[in-house]
Amino acid sequence: MDSRLKALERKQKLYSLLKDQHDAEIKELMHYMSALPVVENNLVRSYLHTLLSDGLRHIEYISSIMADIEGATGSSILTKKGIAASMEGEKASRDALLKCAEMADDPETAALLKSVSVDEEHHIRILEHLSELVESAK
């Protein structure tokens, strides 16, 4: 068999294994996030936060390797179109959270949802600034 074909098959297998690991990391993150709201013990919460932080870092590393295999730059978010899409997502989240806050019967729940919507608004401002930075770098 041709050595280039073997190398291609090896890269495809590596990519497939990395994709499986990527999906597993996301599944783990979702599991840890779903556990956080019901955990009251501070030490356990701290452990879950560590697992979440490490999982995000693992996804970043794996995604970077996958992008290298694909030949992609991995920076599509840093395009004008990518940033605009992210901003739209943040705006949709903010609006949905505000609607949920209006519907919440519990004042504490409403306040929490409004607080998260303020974070989403902050994310929009960050993305606007990021967009300006990307534009000025051209």
Side-chain angles (χ1 to χ4, degrees):
M1 187 182 275
D2 187 294
S3 65
R4 287 179 293 187
L5 185 55
K6 281 185 180 180
L8 180 60
E9 286 177 351
R10 187 175 162 95
K11 268 190 172 183
Q12 287 175 333
K13 182 168 180 138
L14 173 60
Y15 186 89
S16 178
L17 291 170
L18 288 169
K19 176 73 172 119
D20 290 346
Q21 183 59 37
H22 182 272
D23 293 347
E25 291 283 348
I26 289 175
K27 187 176 178 181
E28 289 170 14
L29 285 178
M30 298 305 288
H31 176 70
Y32 300 142
M33 285 191 300
S34 69
L36 269 175
V38 296
V39 172
E40 292 183 21
N41 182 292
N42 284 332
L43 180 59
V44 175
R45 289 181 68 77
S46 178
Y47 282 151
L48 288 173
H49 281 279
T50 298
L51 292 169
L52 285 165
S53 177
D54 288 352
L56 286 172
R57 193 174 65 255
H58 298 164
I59 289 170
E60 183 180 348
Y61 295 157
I62 291 167
S63 296
S64 176
I65 296 167
M66 290 170 65
D68 286 344
I69 291 171
E70 291 177 317
T73 63
S75 62
S76 61
I77 179 110
L78 295 179
T79 64
K80 187 171 184 166
K81 187 176 178 181
I83 294 170
S86 294
M87 284 175 51
E88 288 306 310
E90 295 287 351
K91 288 176 182 176
S93 292
R94 175 201 60 203
D95 295 345
L97 287 163
L98 289 172
K99 283 181 187 175
C100 290
E102 289 173 10
M103 295 172 61
D105 293 329
D106 176 31
E108 201 171 303
T109 299
L112 180 61
L113 292 169
K114 287 177 185 174
S115 171
V116 176
S117 75
V118 169
D119 288 346
E120 299 295 355
E121 187 65 39
H122 184 237
H123 298 166
I124 293 164
R125 300 292 167 249
I126 290 170
L127 288 165
E128 288 171 345
H129 188 233
L130 184 59
S131 180
E132 292 170 8
L133 293 171
V134 168
E135 284 298 309
S136 68
K138 289 183 177 180

